[in-house]
Amino acid sequence: MITLVSEEVWGLDLEAALKEISAQRREQALKFRHELGQRLCVLAYQLLKQGLRKEYGITENPIFEYNEHGKPAIVGHPDIFFNLSHCKEAVACVISNHPVGIDVESMREYRESLIRYTMNDNEIREIESSDDPATTFIRLWTMKEATIKMMGVGISDGMKSVIDTTRYKYTTVERQRYVYTVCE
């Protein structure tokens, strides 16, 4: 498994990068109305290309196919699993030979209503008793998102029970401006 993270969102030469990616991904990137969204989309794809080259020797631009919930897979490589995520501060990519998920989220304040909707009683207690409730919430949120993305099922009402440390392995990294979690 390889995890790649980049904070070089604004260091990217967007014009040049758009010429180096697949037409499929270029079309996806250009659907974003704002430049930030375009940059994040392109940089995520570049991280995937970098990881595929390093881990599998694949040099061609990957083409995606999608399941009914929108989870992408690489056409012609059913044995390679990957997941992409981005927030305004960073882009993250994980690649493996088994299903994986990744989520990266910016540090921010949280809404009480979101906690009640997405967290179970134990998680709510963990957040409320934390010295840093915002970071604890973001850590738990990225664990949930990474799990859902690994399973490829999309967000549903079942978010309260999605974290399962007996079944899945979680690796969470907390940075000053964002948090990311890998689920495998």
Side-chain angles (χ1 to χ4, degrees), residues 46-59:
Q46 284 187 325
L47 288 181
L48 176 63
K49 285 178 55 173
Q50 177 185 341
L52 291 172
R53 188 171 44 256
K54 182 177 180 180
E55 292 295 301
Y56 297 95
I58 297 172
T59 57

Side-chain angles (χ1 to χ4, degrees), residues 16 22 31 54 75 85 95 109 118 140 149 152 174 176:
S22 71
K31 284 182 181 177
K54 182 177 180 180
V75 173
S85 185
I95 306 168
E109 292 299 316
T118 60
L140 291 168
K149 290 172 75 178
E174 297 176 8
Q176 184 177 358

